[in-house]
Amino acid sequence: MTDHTQTDTGPMAVYARRESQVRSYCRSFPVEFTKGRNATLTDRAGREYIDFLAGCSSLNYGHNDPDMKAALIDHITGDGIAHGLDMHTDAKTAFLETFERVILRPRGMEHKVMMTGPTGTNAVEAAMKLARKVTGRDTIVAFTNGFHGMTMGALAATGNAGKRAGGGMALHGVVRMPYEGAMDGVDSLAMIEAMLDNPSSGFDAPAAFLIEPVQGEGGLNAASADFLRGLKRLAEKHGALLIADDIQSGIGRTGPFFSFEGMDVMPDLIPLAKSLSGMGLPFAALLVRPDLDVWKPAEHNGTFRGNQHAFVTARVALEKFWTDDTFQKQTEAKAEFLERRLSDIAALIPGARLKGRGMMRGVDVGSGETAGAICAACFEHGLVIETSGAHDEVVKVLAPLTIPEAQLAQGLDIIEAAVRSRIAGTTPIAAE
């Protein structure tokens, strides 16, 4: 993450005076944003930026979708319920019925929908807690470079050393295994199976395997269908569950609604958040295989279980984008274009490589210094983009799925210009 130091004068001085040092993204983008529309952000001075960050995939449908916005305004001006704990409301009914009709039934999924607290980490916490409750076991198998959240249980499953250090205490209950392809010459799945099959390995059968089908913060590592199917097979063999954390990789980011679709694997538990609300409103849920729904009432609860306003916008998103395959095909076409352009950009840098899947793509440029410099140059020329990976070595593209193709191309032109200038050792010029 690139750090542009903010000054103590001017309209943003209050941030330096009063906001905690924990703030992060604003250090890379030291302007005050005032408007957002689809893939365009506008700052206080009226300058426009192309958004290739999209709220870390919380805005897959872009900023301020007009149909979601209109429905939300109607709900608010009509005195619709704003907060309802987990009581029945018309907004919740409409969301659940739509989610069942548009998403679950067409995919043959019988999963229950558990409303958790409003952020992804809470959905992960609920999944880990439920897996332990169902199996009576403590251990969760997580994977290198995984990121699952910042609360203590999810943080234990998160790999990043800096994030883990913020916990301030020992993190328990997780065994780490290499993600597919994480270590040269190591067949991760075979290693896990050998460890579990060996009664003297010291590796007890776990409650669950917790995996991101595509790792977002960890560097856009993408698991293959074979690897996910293998984990499911091992889970069934050893009486464990498969948890697919689709918080960043789901809701169309890789093409289909779920990132594991078409892989012939069905996870037992599926945490969802980020773009689930459709409009960037806080909303998380856990999809639970029906026979695993053994909670006692209020055994996992919270004041904000289900965001009423998010129910409204999420329903509109489902009806607008997922009742047929038009949106998915559009996303897949953009993903093919993105892959071609990023492959060409990667070819400019010795040793660089394309990573990710669908519209969750990036280029591993080999070092955090290089990636940070590229992203900083991009911002100077009107593109909001960030890095990911263990060393921040991946220039990561998370453009809204609704971005116009011409604007997507323009943003990629800015990246290419920044890369070429970095290679030449010159100050980048704005892309045409």
Side-chain angles (χ1 to χ4, degrees):
M1 181 170 292
T2 307
D3 187 351
H4 295 286
T5 303
Q6 298 180 3
T7 64
D8 289 330
T9 60
M12 294 192 297
V14 67
Y15 297 112
R17 276 201 318 273
R18 292 298 180 188
E19 191 174 13
S20 166
Q21 291 297 322
V22 79
R23 64 193 187 276
S24 59
Y25 289 103
C26 58
R27 298 179 187 273
S28 297
F29 315 115
V31 298
E32 186 178 62
F33 294 107
T34 58
K35 291 183 180 180
R37 177 174 294 180
N38 200 3
T40 302
L41 285 165
T42 306
D43 70 13
R44 174 187 284 270
R47 185 182 182 189
E48 292 187 344
Y49 301 78
I50 300 171
D51 187 1
F52 270 19
L53 181 59
C56 283
S57 203
S58 294
L59 295 164
N60 285 0
Y61 311 110
H63 295 265
N64 289 307
D65 175 89
D67 297 305
M68 296 182 212
K69 182 168 61 174
L72 181 57
I73 290 171
D74 287 345
H75 180 82
I76 293 171
T77 57
D79 292 333
I81 299 296
H83 180 272
L85 295 170
D86 69 351
M87 292 186 286
H88 304 315
T89 67
D90 56 349
K92 186 176 183 179
T93 299
F95 166 74
L96 282 172
E97 289 179 344
T98 304
F99 193 76
E100 178 182 56
R101 172 175 54 85
V102 174
I103 301 301
L104 297 179
R105 283 181 175 163
R107 292 161 179 79
M109 298 173 68
E110 297 298 328
H111 292 64
K112 297 286 192 71
V113 182
M114 176 185 174
M115 303 302 176
T116 68
T119 62
T121 191
N122 197 282
V124 171
E125 293 277 356
M128 296 172 73
K129 189 187 294 186
L130 184 57
R132 288 168 171 148
K133 178 178 175 66
V134 168
T135 64
R137 301 170 181 171
D138 295 329
T139 302
I140 303 290
V141 175
F143 292 87
T144 53
N145 282 47
F147 179 85
H148 299 284
M150 300 293 284
T151 49
M152 297 304 288
L155 186 61
T158 291
N160 183 279
K163 301 291 193 296
R164 291 171 62 83
M169 61 180 287
L171 301 170
H172 301 290
V174 172
V175 169
R176 196 88 43 194
M177 284 290 162
Y179 196 86
E180 183 181 17
M183 298 180 180
D184 290 342
V186 175
D187 184 332
S188 302
L189 196 64
M191 186 180 81
I192 296 168
E193 185 162 24
M195 292 283 285
L196 285 171
D197 285 345
N198 181 356
S200 292
S201 70
F203 184 11
D204 297 327
F209 295 96
L210 171 59
I211 188 169
E212 298 163 276
V214 183
Q215 293 185 323
E217 303 310 303
L220 299 180
N221 307 302
S224 68
D226 286 343
F227 191 78
L228 292 176
R229 285 195 298 266
L231 282 184
K232 178 68 172 178
R233 176 180 58 80
L234 287 179
E236 292 175 345
K237 177 180 177 181
H238 293 280
L241 304 181
L242 177 61
I243 306 171
D245 179 347
D246 226 10
I247 290 169
Q248 187 167 145
S249 56
I251 325 293
R253 176 53 60 181
T254 66
F257 189 86
F258 298 107
S259 66
F260 51 81
E261 286 187 51
M263 295 187 172
D264 192 28
V265 61
M266 184 57 68
D268 303 297
L269 301 170
I270 307 165
L272 296 174
K274 290 192 180 288
S275 282
L276 182 59
S277 75
M279 199 172 166
L281 300 174
F283 182 27
L286 176 65
L287 303 189
V288 180
R289 209 179 72 199
D291 59 302
L292 305 176
D293 187 24
V294 296
W295 294 111
K296 296 177 182 177
E299 196 170 16
H300 184 94
N301 64 5
T303 304
F304 296 98
R305 282 172 289 168
N307 181 338
Q308 298 296 318
H309 294 160
F311 288 146
V312 173
T313 55
R315 173 189 57 79
V316 173
L318 295 174
E319 292 174 343
K320 181 173 181 176
F321 294 104
W322 294 104
T323 53
D324 60 29
D325 63 358
T326 301
F327 178 65
Q328 180 176 333
K329 288 181 176 178
Q330 291 172 347
T331 299
E332 290 169 346
K334 290 174 187 174
E336 290 178 4
F337 173 72
L338 177 63
E339 179 178 3
R340 290 196 302 272
R341 287 296 309 273
L342 287 182
S343 295
D344 291 342
I345 291 170
L348 299 172
I349 306 171
R353 59 193 177 110
L354 181 69
K355 298 191 75 179
R357 181 152 52 87
M359 287 288 282
M360 191 173 181
R361 284 285 196 179
V363 176
D364 182 340
V365 299
S367 79
E369 179 185 1
T370 299
I374 291 169
C375 290
C378 287
F379 180 66
E380 291 298 318
H381 292 88
L383 178 67
V384 173
I385 187 170
E386 260 293 0
T387 61
S388 75
H391 304 284
D392 291 319
E393 72 279 9
V394 178
V395 178
K396 177 183 180 183
V397 177
L398 287 179
L401 309 181
T402 51
I403 188 171
E405 292 182 10
Q407 193 176 26
L408 176 61
Q410 184 183 359
L412 293 168
D413 288 344
I414 294 173
I415 298 174
E416 182 174 340
V419 167
R420 290 185 181 279
S421 296
R422 174 74 179 181
I423 294 169
T426 61
T427 301
I429 58 173
E432 293 296 330

